[in-house]
Amino acid sequence: MSRYSAWAVFKNGFSGQKNWDRQWRDPEPKKEYDVVIVGAGLHGLATAYYLAKNHGIKNIAVLEKGWLGGGNAGRNTTIVRSNYMMPGNRYFYEHSLKLWEELSHELNYNVMFSQRHHVSLFHSPAARDAAARRYNTMRLTDTDGELWDLDTLKKEIPHLNYNNARFPIIGAAVQRRAGSARHDAVAWGYARGADRQGVDIIQNCEVTGVTREDGKVTALETSRGRIGAKKVGFAVAGNTSRLWQMAGLGNLPIESHKLQAFVSEPLKPLLDHVVVYGVGGAHFYISQSDKGGMVFGGDLDWYKSYAQRGNLPVVQDVAECATAIMPCLGRVRLLRHWSGVMDMSMDGSAFICKTPIDNLYLNGGWNYGGFKASPGSGWYFADLIANDRPDPVIEHFDLGRFKRGVIIDERGAGPDPKLHG
Ligand SMILES: Cc1cc2nc3c(=O)[nH]c(=O)nc-3n(C[C@H](O)[C@H](O)[C@H](O)COP(=O)(O)OP(=O)(O)OC[C@H]3O[C@@H](n4cnc5c(N)ncnc54)[C@H](O)[C@@H]3O)c2cc1C
């Protein structure tokens, strides 16, 4: 498979750009693999990529019930940041952000990572104090973070509602290295990178059952037949509890909820940053895509479901937030909106861990924040599967933390998954 480069574009120009290689193959499943990853979202594809690249394992399959990137991977609002404070999250998300910074070169694929700053507004001195604590912790642990006063904010982002807001804006917490990326490109880049190293990505292949013998998983039953596996990793986001039950393991501390996203008609440049607004029950985040569409979202849909569609009350909430914080959006037409199925855990934090079955590994519980996590998640999940022990950075991401009482509750919201939205 050829590398992408300016020279390749030039050379292919002589044949009308018609002779590019396929980005990945469409292989028939083999009888058995050393590692089978279920789910060709960002986490599954990144895991396969790093298993091959970092650990030299080549006989790998990624099984996907639909098309790769058709789940949350291609449905999110693409915010990337590492402004986490809690031990357990802090170093993991920073490692992930560092991988983002090199990802286009690493994958030889333009993932359009744009470090346009993540700007979290605050509306009270108490919120400013909480932000100062979090952002000071970040600075003390080698991450960038700063607080902007109102004058700086007005200069940087002139179109916010500074005059008549129900909750007056008094400043913002900012991470400059944070930003956004193109979600499809990340999935395609990891898929192409994994395929180049011999990973079989098998689409339209739904896992319908898990065969266990002598305490181990030996094969997966799929819509394309039985596929043997020496090791299996689940990376199925909102479907994690379904797969867990297929493996005969009972219930997980996860609920599946819906989250919607919205995009407007394309506009001339209006917003250079990712802006987050959250106060008094409102929750809203917005950025502008490179095509000009305003991309935004709000809270979860507030009830459990596996359906990939949202409901109108949340559309109204999000529209109210949009016009409260950026009144000029009131005249903008909405182009589309959609939803994804979120795997909301009880403490709002993820799982990258071993399971009660020796050769079965779990990656899930990414809640509303798994896009930013995907490079780091793939990196550490691959390491866990290859070496059969967690790296210290992810040892807090296990299921046992609920038994030990050491949950990683970044929002301090308690054991109610929908409050972590
Ligand atoms: C509207 C919305 C906005 C979001 N915004 C952000 C954001 O701004 N920043 C951020 O960091 N995160 C965000 N997220 C969260 C992020 O998108 C997810 O946490 C992340 O994509 C989940 O990991 P994934 O990509 O591997 O999941 P997915 O892409 O959902 O991958 C899982 C795959 O598993 C497949 N699968 C399921 N069951 C089976 C089966 N039985 N057999 C075979 N395959 C199966 C699915 O088809 C799917 O393709 C958002 C999510 C949504 C829905």
Side-chain angles (χ1 to χ4, degrees):
M1 194 177 287
S2 54
R3 277 184 67 77
Y4 292 156
S5 65
W7 166 244
V9 174
F10 178 74
K11 200 176 75 181
N12 278 287
F14 290 110
S15 54
Q17 307 289 355
K18 287 185 188 142
N19 291 325
W20 291 96
D21 300 332
R22 283 183 68 113
Q23 298 207 63
W24 48 82
R25 297 162 298 129
D26 187 16
E28 283 302 313
K30 292 186 213 158
K31 278 218 167 74
E32 193 185 48
Y33 291 90
D34 291 342
V35 181
V36 174
I37 303 294
V38 187
L42 296 164
H43 294 256
L45 291 168
T47 303
Y49 174 80
Y50 291 118
L51 271 169
K53 164 105 195 296
N54 294 358
H55 304 282
I57 301 173
K58 302 292 177 190
N59 187 24
I60 303 169
V62 183
L63 310 184
E64 167 54 49
K65 71 174 174 178
W67 67 95
L68 72 86
N72 292 338
R75 290 166 188 267
N76 60 73
T77 42
T78 73
I79 300 174
V80 175
R81 58 188 168 88
S82 73
N83 59 346
Y84 286 76
M85 186 180 81
M86 302 293 286
N89 283 333
R90 184 77 287 279
Y91 292 106
F92 171 80
Y93 283 101
E94 183 53 26
H95 179 69
S96 199
L97 182 55
K98 290 205 169 92
L99 292 174
W100 275 108
E101 288 175 321
E102 294 300 324
L103 202 56
S104 291
H105 287 124
E106 167 74 26
L107 298 177
N108 179 228
Y109 208 100
N110 185 3
V111 301
M112 296 167 76
F113 181 46
S114 158
Q115 293 180 293
R116 57 181 69 178
H117 308 2
H118 181 270
V119 179
S120 237
L121 306 176
F122 42 72
H123 309 264
S124 67
R128 184 179 51 209
D129 290 351
R133 180 170 174 242
R134 177 191 284 227
Y135 281 65
N136 281 336
T137 306
M138 287 158 55
R139 288 160 63 126
L140 288 169
T141 48
D142 293 335
T143 309
D144 65 310
E146 59 197 79
L147 301 186
W148 284 356
D149 61 16
L150 192 53
D151 289 341
T152 313
L153 191 57
K154 282 181 174 170
K155 224 183 311 160
E156 291 276 342
I157 313 178
H159 306 297
L160 300 181
N161 185 1
Y162 294 110
N163 301 323
N164 191 27
R166 164 73 180 80
F167 298 102
I169 301 167
I170 64 169
V174 180
Q175 186 177 26
R176 285 180 187 265
R177 287 165 56 240
S180 70
R182 175 152 183 212
H183 45 21
D184 309 302
V186 188
W188 299 335
Y190 271 123
R192 178 169 169 271
D195 180 272
R196 279 176 83 139
Q197 297 177 85
V199 173
D200 283 357
I201 301 169
I202 302 164
Q203 302 181 77
N204 296 312
C205 182
E206 177 168 6
V207 172
T208 52
V210 177
T211 306
R212 286 171 60 176
E213 282 163 32
D214 298 331
K216 290 197 165 196
V217 175
T218 49
L220 298 169
E221 309 304 325
T222 81
S223 53
R224 295 179 66 173
R226 185 188 171 95
I227 299 176
K230 292 189 181 130
K231 291 183 174 184
V232 174
F234 288 162
V236 290
N239 285 282
T240 307
S241 29
R242 283 180 163 165
L243 267 290
W244 196 252
Q245 281 174 0
M246 282 181 208
L249 289 169
N251 293 325
L252 271 176
I254 279 182
E255 289 181 0
S256 293
H257 286 256
K258 273 96 53 71
L259 181 64
Q260 300 191 50
F262 305 80
V263 66
S264 78
E265 61 185 331
L267 305 175
K268 287 186 175 170
L270 174 70
L271 186 63
D272 291 337
H273 307 79
V274 177
V275 175
V276 182
Y277 163 62
V279 65
H283 186 200
F284 180 70
Y285 34 92
I286 184 163
S287 63
Q288 185 166 21
S289 79
D290 291 344
K291 280 198 288 188
M294 305 306 294
V295 180
F296 51 92
D299 266 326
L300 296 174
D301 266 34
W302 297 107
Y303 64 91
K304 290 164 255 179
S305 157
Y306 290 114
Q308 278 181 324
R309 57 176 185 275
N311 288 278
L312 288 174
V314 168
V315 179
Q316 183 176 347
D317 277 0
V318 170
E320 283 172 2
C321 285
T323 46
I325 201 68
M326 279 185 84
C328 61
L329 294 179
R331 285 162 174 254
V332 171
R333 278 169 298 193
L334 200 60
L335 202 61
R336 356 179 249 285
H337 68 110
W338 61 87
S339 120
V341 188
M342 320 299 311
D343 43 348
M344 304 298 296
S345 65
M346 298 294 147
D347 59 355
S349 289
F351 305 109
I352 306 179
C353 59
K354 297 177 63 149
T355 71
I357 302 176
D358 267 357
N359 62 342
L360 176 68
Y361 304 85
L362 173 66
N363 179 317
W366 291 103
N367 297 268
Y368 54 88
F371 179 65
K372 70 177 88 66
S374 47
S377 164
W379 178 282
Y380 287 115
F381 196 39
D383 179 70
L384 172 73
I385 294 172
N387 297 312
D388 201 37
R389 53 97 194 97
D391 185 281
V393 169
I394 55 154
E395 64 189 7
H396 301 270
F397 284 174
D398 67 336
L399 287 161
R401 67 179 184 259
F402 295 98
K403 268 196 193 147
R404 297 193 304 275
V406 283
I407 55 174
I408 321 172
D409 186 354
E410 195 75 35
R411 293 180 71 134
D416 187 344
K418 63 183 182 298
L419 295 182
H420 291 281

